[in-house]
Amino acid sequence: MRAAIGPQRAARRGCAAAGGRVVDDTGASRAAGRDGRTARRHRTAPAASPTGPEVAAAWRKRGELFRSPLGVAMTIRWHVTRSQQRDPRAASAGMDDGFLMEVCVDSVESAVNAERGGAGRIELCAGLVEGGTTPSMGLLQVVKQCVRIPVFVMIRPRGGDFLYSDREVEVMKADIRLAKLHGADGLVFGALTEDGRIDTELCTALLAVCRPLPVTFHRAFDMVHDPQVALETLISLGFERVLTSGCDSSALEGLSLIKKLAEQAKGRIVVVPGGGITERNLQRILEGSSASEFHCSARSARDSGMKFRNPNVAMGASFSAPEYSVKVADVAKVRTLNAIAKNIL
């Protein structure tokens, strides 16, 4: 067992050696209005804590205005990476060969494997079994210490639909600010109205918090009522990318729509195929869509290092992954996908 987990411990020590400033943000969330944006109320911020003014003064000359969960207006300088200093619309490390492979990951191990395999960008999530939710800031911080490629952070407070309450919106805004604070190179989110249209009001508000970082509209797009209209809406709002499976169960099944969307976009937004992409179908998807970027997980299951196992207990619901199996990005799979894309493009 020691032999099995030794390399993981060594990797953790290597990440720690890379350094990185830890910024702790504590406090309870601000009060929000009742659920449902139609009932949203703008309330005055609560009184600052005794140390609030001193903290604000100490940071006033550094970086971006940041409003803490306690309602104290502070100016915080967040960690700026080399990729953040580039044109935000580019965020395209790894495109030297004319394409970019984005790998969605939910662990440090998967992030490291994705970079080793040749990924040009990481989408950092938690809860991939639910399609991806907001990762912890601890995960983001350690991933940033361990990889050099851009890290885009998923902003999704829960699984399920993309119709959010006022309180969930406050969580999303707070998560965006914290992700920027801890070095995110880009953000990923999506929001819809109850009738399946892009929620322009909410997206506008969230985009304002995200800037100057680039933003991808995630696969909430695949739940819209009219994809062509929705694409124009995203372009007008200023999203840099849209991730889509062509409103179907996988990018292969939705290939014809992905191609239509890419033709409609005409370079105004990057249409990124994603959903069920593997080494078996990547060539067909790239050739059929003319995409310059694609999104995949490239995961394999590996057995847990646990020797004692209780077969009668599971920590998740019936649809969750097996208790003693861990899915991680597979270096070999990432390299294979990379090679296929290079061959085509």
Side-chain angles (χ1 to χ4, degrees):
M1 180 176 177
R2 291 182 180 275
I5 63 176
Q8 296 178 20
R9 289 178 175 168
R12 286 199 295 269
R13 287 196 295 269
C15 291
R21 183 168 58 90
V22 178
V23 180
D24 186 22
D25 183 38
T26 59
S29 298
R30 289 188 298 161
R34 292 172 296 169
D35 285 357
R37 282 196 303 283
T38 55
R40 183 175 299 145
R41 296 178 181 177
H42 298 282
R43 299 186 181 184
T44 56
S49 62
T51 58
E54 289 80 1
V55 174
W59 290 96
R60 189 162 289 122
K61 294 183 180 180
R62 301 171 182 250
E64 180 200 70
L65 182 66
F66 174 81
R67 184 169 295 280
S68 77
L70 289 174
V72 181
M74 296 185 291
T75 302
I76 300 290
R77 180 184 181 184
W78 64 81
H79 175 62
V80 179
T81 66
R82 291 181 181 178
S83 57
Q84 285 176 310
Q85 295 171 351
R86 295 194 295 267
D87 180 358
R89 285 190 173 269
S92 299
M95 290 198 71
D96 296 338
D97 298 298
F99 77 96
L100 183 142
M101 173 171 52
E102 176 180 80
V103 178
C104 58
V105 305
D106 60 359
S107 68
V108 178
E109 181 182 359
S110 287
V112 171
N113 286 352
E115 182 177 55
R116 286 177 57 200
R121 186 172 64 234
I122 287 169
E123 180 189 86
L124 187 64
C125 310
L128 284 178
V129 72
E130 293 186 283
T133 54
T134 307
S136 75
M137 294 303 106
L139 177 59
L140 171 60
Q141 187 175 23
V142 177
V143 165
K144 286 295 298 180
Q145 292 170 2
C146 293
V147 304
R148 297 177 61 85
I149 58 177
V151 178
F152 280 27
V153 176
M154 171 69 75
I155 302 297
R156 188 181 175 211
R158 55 165 173 78
D161 65 36
F162 305 101
L163 183 66
Y164 297 114
S165 70
D166 285 0
R167 290 186 177 95
E168 288 171 332
V169 170
E170 290 303 309
V171 171
M172 294 171 81
K173 289 179 178 178
D175 282 335
I176 291 168
R177 293 184 183 110
L178 288 170
K180 292 169 68 176
L181 179 68
H182 288 286
D185 299 290
L187 287 309
V188 182
F189 71 80
L192 305 178
T193 61
E194 61 184 10
D195 58 353
R197 303 191 190 316
I198 305 296
D199 190 333
T200 55
E201 179 185 353
L202 176 53
C203 286
T204 299
L206 294 178
L207 281 167
V209 184
C210 289
R211 296 309 186 195
L213 300 184
V215 184
T216 300
F217 192 94
H218 60 43
R219 286 189 60 200
F221 184 86
D222 292 324
M223 302 297 189
V224 298
H225 178 263
D226 188 324
Q228 280 83 17
V229 172
L231 186 69
E232 292 301 326
T233 301
L234 296 183
I235 292 169
S236 67
L237 289 172
F239 282 90
E240 282 76 18
R241 291 171 180 81
V242 56
L243 175 63
T244 179
S245 63
C247 300
D248 216 319
S249 57
S250 71
L252 184 60
E253 297 294 328
L255 185 56
S256 61
L257 179 58
I258 294 173
K259 182 177 181 180
K260 289 177 183 176
L261 293 171
E263 292 170 349
Q264 178 185 339
K266 296 179 180 176
R268 296 174 295 164
I269 189 172
V270 180
V271 177
V272 184
I277 292 182
T278 69
E279 56 270 29
R280 293 185 299 275
N281 59 30
L282 177 60
Q283 180 172 349
R284 184 175 170 188
I285 291 169
L286 291 182
E287 289 178 344
S289 65
S290 301
S292 60
E293 302 186 14
F294 66 96
H295 174 99
C296 61
S297 63
R299 295 195 298 168
S300 291
R302 66 165 169 77
D303 195 40
S304 165
M306 289 294 297
K307 288 187 176 180
F308 172 77
R309 304 186 179 194
N310 183 349
N312 301 316
V313 180
M315 295 293 109
S318 58
F319 63 87
S320 62
E323 199 65 35
Y324 296 104
S325 177
V326 182
K327 284 196 171 183
V328 294
D330 187 312
V331 176
K333 283 191 174 183
V334 176
R335 284 177 177 159
T336 300
L337 290 164
N338 209 1
I340 293 170
K342 283 182 178 179
N343 236 7
I344 295 167
L345 300 174

